[in-house]
């Protein structure tokens, strides 16, 4: 099969994947994970760069037991739906916990983790995941 | 390193503004490893060690530790002019760890970046380099990071201790808000082949008992003696932190130097997390900073195989009081743990070959 | 007013066809259309989702046209994920209504058995946004599982209210010679099958399958000139799209695209939902059966499970769904699935559905989805 992780693609998305840099519609507030000049929700062209916060709440989650290519060795792993303060939702890997510890509504914090690697010789992909909060609020 | 005149290698005007530690949450007990190899568990080098999970490596550990250093310093990442990451487990053989860490942290592109390698002292090398850049005025702030996901060959003595963790120091000019002034830095290195890993090899080789007297102890003690020769007396140090490849060595080195164990004990974490290699002595420093008071002095001496030691003297400042609580303490990171058995340890470390 | 008819339909058994290629599947299925004469085709639409990845073969329009001896005829490959087949049918319908074509051959073909299990999971997730989800190993099954969990929580339902749909599908497929899985199963079996992504179990999902189906569409103008044994009117066809991630939609449990497509397709011939007696729905995951039936109004929100339990969707009920087993049990050869649905309704409305026959069905409809409802296609058929 074709390569799963192409360097230019991964590179292009790095700011979103590392820091949750998004493009937010100044009209309706919808966020986009890609650079855009048209809001996907309201079609406004007033879109500006923004950053999602590092904290979010868990809405629901599941476990991937049948993994896709490049994730074989990580299975089983948790993925969850999280919601930020502004209502933006994101599906992300949930790490450093067992499914039993997760309850809807718990607070999670963003970390950057190794997402996958393209075999022994290919690219290593890093990106956001969420985990139960260990840092202090300040 | 020879002192040129009376003032050097004393530093002035360089301080730690932020520090951060990160320890992955998995632990494997030394007794669990001993069980697999049929080794009696009466004389194991540590109680347990930290193990990075499959989604953690030196990049992610360095980035998290550095994010805590920045959080404590309370500065904008854009003011950071250097990111040096010392490790013996950089994820890429060629492709810097530091550039990934800097992008994760949102540090702008105008900064110096280099990956360092000097076994377990690669992190403190970064501290020396960044301190020099700050002292020279080339940069305002710099990150010195030691991070590792160390690998020991299965059944080897190092398997019990080779651990994962990272510590970052955010270094800038002395002044308001500083956590600790860096008063002194000097190094002592020789060509001593006590431990190495050849290119393309997965696991390191080591000289077994040769890693002791001529290697660890010779360099640690020689570097500590330099500090004393350069004008400090042992009484001036409230805490002494040595590289900790196992629980015994730092105490044994202290004993040779006539340093009471109670000055060493606050910085010893090895028994509970193992040897975090490039982060090892810095982890001890972070733990001491977690509990020290303004005015106290800390002697830190790292050790890296191959071989060398970097010696530093830190003087704790008022800034510690406000900043300590802005990121997880080492003790909290040690307590955040989940034990795994040897099979899950093999999975987490990617040791299961297909 | 110009109308569109289906004058022939052919389908192969859905199976792991190790010995068959895309070319051989296509030739076999088209061979099943020999009752239609003369063999004059104005346009070919080939539905296929993954040929360029799994068989390293793109440009299936020309390839398939040549395979069936029709090189020279305009031919085009249509990809819309799991709805590719329905999208090709819509394209054919539009071509005929536009007046530019009188006869259109729509072929759906897919060979999924060439993939490894991990590749299958990867490929089945391609209809979701890769840069947002796929890159981090979030599978489509995991997304469906989270919709499933939200559904059970919102309506405070036991899992059987979802998991009984596969039981019904296997019951229907047990009488369908072309179905991939003709065994019957029980709720206990479904709920004790291996967990894919909790709460979703293996028997609530589909498995890789190969298959091909084909139909011939013709215009009302051309109908008198074409020899055929059976005819069904393709009375309405429509499609709609939605925000791609279910969780970015106003309500992740509402398949608005499916509802819009369905009602628009019904509106063309002026039919009402109640007239539809045969309904093929896109149950690639069990939960989608609930969500489709509720979104298009057959059941109240949260009530489709109870309605199913009461027999509303089985023979003798208000509408029979997935009369040959649906995606779950007839099988889901991705790009071909929509054409299977159309061929199956054709069989029902022409009285040739054998043991699966729904008596007295005059109208049938199908709903086909790409991804988790980001694209939806609906077709409505009427006795000829």
């Amino acid at each position: 099969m074709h390569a799963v992780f192409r360097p230019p693609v991964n590179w292009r998305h790095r700011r979103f994947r590392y820091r949750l840099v998004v493009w937010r519609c100044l009209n309706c507030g919808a966020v986009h994970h890609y650079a855009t000049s048209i809001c996907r929700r309201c079609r406004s062209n007033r879109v500006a760069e923004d950053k999602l916060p590092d904290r979010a709440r868990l809405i629901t989650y599941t476990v991937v037991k049948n993994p896709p290519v490049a994730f074989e060795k990580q299975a089983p792993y948790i993925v969850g739906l999280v919601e930020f303060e502004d209502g933006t939702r994101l599906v992300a890997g949930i790490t450093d916990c067992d499914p039993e510890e997760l309850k809807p509504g718990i607070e999670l914090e963003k970390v950057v983790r190794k997402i996958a690697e393209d075999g022994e010789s290919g690219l290593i992909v890093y990106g956001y995941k969420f985990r139960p909060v260990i840092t202090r609020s300040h | 390193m020879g002192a040129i005149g009376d003032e050097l290698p004393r530093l002035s005007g360089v301080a730690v503004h932020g520090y951060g530690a990160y320890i992955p949450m998995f632990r494997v007990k030394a007794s669990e490893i001993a069980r697999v190899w049929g080794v009696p568990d009466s004389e194991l080098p540590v109680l347990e060690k930290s193990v990075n999970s499959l989604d953690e490596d030196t990049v992610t550990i360095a980035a998290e530790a550095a994010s805590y250093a920045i959080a404590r310093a309370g500065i904008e990442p854009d003011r950071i002019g250097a990111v040096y990451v010392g490790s013996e487990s950089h994820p890429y053989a060629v492709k810097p760890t530091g550039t990934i860490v800097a992008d994760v942290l949102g540090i702008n592109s105008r900064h110096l970046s280099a990956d360092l390698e000097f076994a377990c002292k690669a992190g403190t090398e970064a501290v020396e380099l960044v301190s020099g850049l700050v002292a020279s005025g080339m940069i305002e702030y710099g990150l010195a990071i030691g991070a590792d996901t160390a690998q020991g060959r299965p059944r080897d003595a190092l398997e019990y201790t080779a651990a994962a963790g990272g510590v970052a120091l955010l270094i800038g000019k002395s002044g308001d808000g500083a956590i600790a002034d860096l008063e002194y830095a000097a190094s002592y290195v020789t060509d001593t082949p006590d431990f190495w890993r050849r290119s393309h090899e997965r696991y390191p080789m080591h000289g077994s008992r040769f890693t002791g007297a001529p290697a660890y102890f010779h360099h640690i003690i020689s570097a500590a003696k330099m500090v004393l020769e350069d004008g400090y007396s042992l009484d001036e140090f409230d805490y002494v932190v040595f590289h900790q490849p196992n629980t015994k060595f730092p105490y044994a080195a202290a004993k040779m130097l006539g340093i009471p164990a109670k000055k060493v004990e606050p910085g010893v974490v090895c028994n509970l997390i193992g040897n975090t290699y490039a982060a090892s002595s810095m982890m001890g420093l972070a733990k001491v900073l977690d509990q020290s008071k303004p005015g106290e002095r800390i002697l830190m001496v790292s050790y890296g195989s191959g071989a060398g030691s970097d010696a530093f003297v830190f003087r704790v400042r008022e800034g510690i009081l406000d900043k300590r609580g802005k990121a997880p303490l080492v003790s909290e990171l040690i307590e955040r743990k989940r034990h795994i058995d040897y099979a899950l340890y093999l999975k987490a470390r990617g040791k299961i070959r297909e | 007013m110009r109308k569109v008819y289906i004058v022939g339909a052919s389908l192969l058994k859905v199976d792991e066809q190790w010995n068959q290629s895309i070319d051989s599947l296509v030739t076999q299925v088209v061979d099943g259309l020999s009752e239609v004469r003369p063999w004059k085709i104005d346009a070919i639409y080939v539905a296929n989702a993954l040929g360029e990845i799994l068989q390293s073969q793109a440009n299936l329009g020309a390839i398939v046209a040549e395979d069936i001896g029709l090189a020279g005829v305009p031919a085009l490959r249509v990809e819309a994920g799991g709805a590719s087949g329905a999208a090709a049918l819509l394209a054919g319908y539009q071509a005929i209504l536009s007046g530019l074509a009188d006869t259109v051959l729509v072929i759906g073909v897919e060979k999924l058995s060439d993939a490894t299990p991990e590749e299958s999971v990867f490929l089945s997730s391609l209809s979701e946004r890769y840069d947002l989800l796929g890159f981090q190993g979030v599978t489509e099954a995991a997304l469906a599982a989270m919709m499933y969990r939200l559904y059970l929580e919102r309506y405070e339902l036991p899992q059987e209210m979802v998991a009984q749909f596969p039981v019904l599908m296997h019951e229907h497929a047990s009488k369908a010679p072309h179905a991939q899985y003709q065994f019957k199963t029980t709720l206990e079996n479904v709920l004790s099958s291996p967990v894919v992504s909790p709460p979703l179990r293996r028997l609530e999902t589909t498995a890789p399958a190969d298959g091909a189906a084909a139909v011939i569409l013709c215009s009302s103008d051309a109908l008198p000139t074409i020899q055929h044994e059976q005819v069904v009117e393709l009375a309405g066809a429509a499609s709609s799209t939605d925000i791609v991630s279910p969780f970015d939609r106003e309500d992740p449990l509402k398949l608005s695209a499916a509802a819009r497509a369905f009602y628009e397709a019904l509106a063309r011939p002026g039919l009402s939902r109640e007239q539809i007696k045969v309904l093929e729905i896109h149950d690639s995951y069990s939960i989608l059966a609930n969500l489709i039936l509720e979104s298009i109004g057959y059941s109240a929100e949260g009530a489709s499970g109870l309605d199913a339990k009461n027999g509303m969707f089985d023979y003798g009920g208000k509408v029979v769904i997935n009369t040959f087993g649906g995606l779950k049990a007839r099988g889901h050869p991705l790009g071909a699935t929509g054409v299977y649905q159309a061929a199956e309704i054709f069989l029902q409305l022409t009285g040739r559905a054998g043991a699966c026959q729904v008596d007295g069905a005059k109208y049938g409809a199908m709903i086909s989805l790409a991804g988790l409802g980001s694209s939806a296609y609906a077709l409505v058929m009427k006795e000829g």
Side-chain angles (χ1 to χ4, degrees):
Chain A
M1 218 175 67
H2 68 295
V4 179
F5 300 112
R6 295 179 190 280
V9 177
N10 190 59
W11 173 81
R12 193 148 63 224
H13 291 289
R14 70 193 184 287
R15 293 196 310 148
F16 170 66
R17 293 183 185 173
Y18 295 170
R19 282 179 269 138
L20 296 178
V21 171
V22 294
W23 285 261
R24 185 185 293 277
C25 174
L26 299 176
N27 182 49
C28 78
V31 307
H32 308 73
H33 66 283
Y34 48 90
T36 181
S37 45
I38 300 174
C39 172
R40 66 194 167 113
R41 197 197 283 161
C42 75
R43 303 204 75 247
S44 163
N45 57 9
R46 293 173 53 236
V47 179
E49 207 172 288
D50 194 7
K51 191 183 160 303
L52 292 171
D54 288 343
R55 300 265 175 124
R57 292 203 176 272
L58 183 70
I59 294 177
T60 191
Y61 68 94
T62 188
V63 179
V64 175
K65 299 197 176 216
N66 294 14
V69 176
F71 292 85
E72 296 92 338
K73 289 176 185 165
Q74 296 188 47
Y77 53 92
I78 306 173
V79 301
L81 174 65
V82 307
E83 187 173 278
F84 298 92
E85 213 171 17
D86 68 348
T88 298
R89 291 177 163 198
L90 190 67
V91 175
I94 309 287
T95 192
D96 283 4
C97 63
D98 286 331
E100 298 73 42
E101 298 164 50
L102 295 174
K103 296 277 172 292
I106 67 164
E107 194 175 27
L108 303 170
E109 64 186 345
K110 188 209 110 190
V111 289
V112 170
R113 291 294 171 91
K114 185 162 95 175
I115 299 296
E117 53 190 20
D118 197 358
E120 293 269 306
S121 56
L123 197 71
I124 304 170
V125 175
Y126 298 95
Y128 56 85
K129 285 192 180 183
F130 284 78
R131 71 157 180 229
V133 171
I134 68 160
T135 60
R136 300 151 173 237
S137 20
H138 22 270
Chain B
M1 188 191 289
I4 309 162
D6 289 342
E7 295 304 311
L8 292 171
R10 285 190 184 239
L11 292 162
S12 66
V14 178
V16 174
H17 285 261
Y19 69 98
Y22 178 70
I23 302 165
M25 69 185 297
F26 288 141
R27 302 284 182 278
V28 62
K29 287 181 184 290
S31 59
E32 168 68 3
I33 298 171
R35 176 185 70 81
V36 170
W37 301 114
V39 171
D41 59 9
S42 52
E43 280 196 14
L44 299 175
V46 295
L47 183 66
E48 56 197 41
K49 68 168 186 174
S50 62
V51 180
N52 54 301
S53 79
L54 268 173
D55 65 3
E56 292 177 300
D57 65 12
T58 292
V59 165
T60 68
I61 290 169
E64 184 153 357
S67 74
Y68 296 147
I70 294 170
R72 282 200 171 103
I75 63 155
E76 283 303 311
D78 275 355
R79 295 170 72 182
I80 294 167
V83 177
Y84 286 167
V85 185
S87 181
E88 65 116 75
S89 45
H90 292 289
Y92 288 95
V94 178
K95 158 83 184 89
T97 299
T99 55
I100 309 171
V101 170
D103 210 325
V104 166
L105 297 170
I107 297 170
N108 79 21
S109 299
R110 187 170 173 164
H111 71 269
L112 286 155
S113 180
D115 288 1
L116 306 172
E117 183 276 312
F118 195 144
C120 296
K121 89 168 186 76
T124 56
E125 267 179 343
V127 176
E128 292 215 38
L129 293 173
V130 170
S131 300
L133 290 166
V134 169
S136 75
M138 275 184 73
I139 62 171
E140 185 184 10
Y141 290 101
L143 270 171
I145 308 169
D148 255 312
T149 57
Q151 291 263 27
R153 188 185 302 277
R155 210 194 73 85
D156 187 275
L158 292 180
E159 192 182 19
Y160 297 96
T161 56
V167 176
L169 296 184
L170 183 62
I171 295 168
K173 289 209 180 301
S174 297
D176 287 351
I179 285 174
D181 284 336
L182 178 48
E183 293 185 336
Y184 177 100
S187 293
Y188 179 92
V189 301
T190 71
D191 173 11
T192 304
D194 58 325
F195 167 103
W196 63 88
R197 178 160 60 82
R198 296 278 301 273
S199 295
H200 311 299
E201 288 295 306
R202 197 157 181 228
Y203 297 111
M205 299 288 288
H206 61 84
S208 194
R209 289 187 56 77
F210 184 61
T211 60
Y216 177 86
F217 292 107
H218 173 71
H219 292 83
I220 291 260
I221 286 163
S222 300
K225 283 183 173 167
M226 282 186 337
V227 180
L228 303 178
E229 284 162 14
D230 286 335
Y232 284 99
S233 72
L234 286 176
D235 296 342
E236 289 180 90
F237 302 122
D238 300 284
Y239 305 95
V240 176
V241 176
F242 292 144
H243 172 55
Q244 36 194 317
N246 54 50
T247 314
K248 271 187 197 166
F249 273 26
Y251 289 107
K255 197 171 177 187
M256 291 176 193
L257 285 161
I259 297 167
K262 69 173 178 12
K263 289 190 179 182
V264 177
E265 193 275 329
V268 176
V269 294
C270 184
N271 200 36
L272 297 175
I273 61 169
N275 178 4
T276 53
Y277 279 53
S280 175
S281 53
M282 293 169 74
M283 191 69 76
L285 173 70
K287 176 142 181 293
V288 166
L289 287 173
D290 282 347
Q291 61 198 88
S292 58
K293 293 187 281 293
E296 291 183 324
R297 256 202 193 89
I298 305 162
L299 170 66
M300 173 174 80
V301 186
S302 65
Y303 173 70
S305 290
S309 283
D310 300 330
F312 302 87
V313 176
F314 297 94
R315 183 86 187 265
V316 181
R317 292 297 177 194
E318 294 288 328
I320 189 68
L321 300 175
D322 283 348
K323 292 178 169 175
R324 182 150 51 204
K326 292 183 174 176
L329 302 177
V330 172
S331 58
E332 293 170 330
L333 293 163
I334 291 174
E335 282 156 24
R336 184 189 80 115
K337 64 178 171 183
R338 172 151 316 146
H339 286 106
I340 54 174
D341 63 12
Y342 195 80
L344 283 175
Y345 162 68
L346 293 182
K347 182 185 175 190
R349 293 312 324 267
K351 287 174 193 275
I352 300 173
R353 303 300 285 261
E354 285 164 359
Chain C
M1 191 188 139
R2 198 170 162 93
K3 288 184 171 180
V4 182
Y5 291 93
I6 301 177
V7 288
S10 170
L11 39 74
L12 304 182
K13 181 175 188 304
V14 179
D15 215 337
E16 290 169 320
Q17 310 258 24
W18 302 112
N19 206 26
Q20 306 291 332
S21 62
I22 284 181
D23 309 282
S24 57
L25 288 171
V26 162
T27 55
Q28 274 185 64
V29 77
V30 169
D31 213 22
L33 292 169
S34 52
E35 66 191 40
V36 182
R37 287 283 180 269
W39 196 234
K40 184 196 161 298
I41 301 293
D42 294 335
I44 303 167
Y45 291 93
V46 181
N48 174 269
L50 299 172
E52 68 270 58
I53 298 177
L54 283 175
Q55 287 78 35
S56 305
Q57 189 62 68
N59 191 24
L60 283 179
I63 301 262
V64 166
E66 181 185 350
D67 286 341
I68 58 176
L70 291 181
V73 175
L76 173 70
R77 177 266 188 117
V78 176
E79 186 278 313
S84 299
L89 288 161
L90 177 63
Y93 173 81
Q94 290 167 338
I96 289 176
L97 282 189
S98 76
L100 290 175
D102 276 310
T103 51
V104 170
L105 174 60
V106 177
I107 302 173
V109 61
E110 198 78 56
K111 264 204 73 67
L112 299 178
S113 62
D114 288 347
T116 67
E118 291 77 15
E119 285 173 345
S120 294
V121 175
F122 171 80
L123 297 170
S124 70
S125 306
L126 283 184
S127 288
E128 307 308 325
R129 286 186 180 269
Y130 183 77
D131 290 339
L132 193 58
L133 300 169
F135 91 93
Q136 48 173 340
V138 176
T139 61
E140 189 173 70
L143 299 174
M146 288 193 284
M147 294 165 89
Y148 194 159
R149 186 166 270 172
L150 289 175
Y151 180 83
L152 296 181
E153 282 167 5
R154 181 188 294 180
Y155 302 114
E156 298 175 348
L157 296 172
Q159 191 171 351
E160 68 163 287
M161 287 300 159
V162 177
Q164 61 180 314
F165 277 98
V167 179
L168 183 65
M169 296 309 115
H170 278 270
E171 177 68 32
H172 291 181
S174 69
K175 302 181 199 91
H178 69 268
Q180 181 179 16
Y181 298 118
Q182 296 174 24
F183 62 88
K184 293 185 190 183
T185 191
T186 61
L187 188 63
E188 291 67 39
N189 281 343
V190 173
L191 291 177
S192 61
S193 63
V195 174
V196 172
S197 274
L200 190 71
R201 302 263 175 175
R202 184 185 291 166
L203 278 178
E204 298 179 274
T205 65
T206 64
D210 307 332
V215 298
I216 295 183
L217 308 181
C218 80
S219 68
S220 40
D221 295 341
L223 187 62
T225 70
I226 293 174
Q227 277 184 42
H228 56 274
E229 292 182 5
Q230 308 287 341
V231 64
V232 159
E233 186 188 342
L234 179 50
S239 76
S240 185
T241 56
D242 202 348
I243 296 286
V244 178
S245 168
F247 307 111
D248 280 353
R249 300 173 195 157
E250 209 159 298
D251 183 348
L253 303 182
K254 187 123 185 101
L255 300 173
S256 309
R260 280 191 294 271
F262 184 62
Y263 283 101
E264 196 183 325
L266 278 177
R268 288 186 194 240
L271 294 174
S272 73
R273 187 178 67 222
E274 286 69 32
Q275 290 171 277
I276 303 295
K277 294 296 172 204
V278 174
L279 178 66
E280 295 297 322
I281 63 171
H282 191 97
D283 59 332
S284 47
Y285 304 99
S286 54
I287 181 66
L288 288 182
N290 299 75
L291 298 184
I292 290 170
L293 292 169
E294 293 171 21
S295 297
I296 64 175
Y298 279 97
S299 291
E301 289 176 4
S304 55
L306 195 61
D307 289 344
K309 202 173 176 185
N310 293 333
M312 192 199 274
F313 305 117
D314 204 353
Y315 291 82
K318 205 193 248 180
V319 58
V320 191
I321 61 166
N322 294 357
T323 57
F324 295 87
L327 279 63
K328 171 70 212 72
R330 171 243 292 126
H332 184 27
L334 210 61
T337 292
V339 187
Y340 271 92
Q341 291 178 314
E344 287 166 351
I345 297 170
F346 179 85
L347 293 177
Q348 286 289 357
L349 300 186
T350 55
R352 297 195 299 182
C356 300
Q357 186 65 48
V358 176
D359 292 332
K362 290 183 164 47
Y363 302 99
M366 59 177 267
I367 289 177
S368 189
L369 305 182
L372 295 165
S374 48
S375 269
Y377 292 80
L379 280 79
V380 173
M381 290 170 225
K382 188 179 160 190
E383 207 175 35

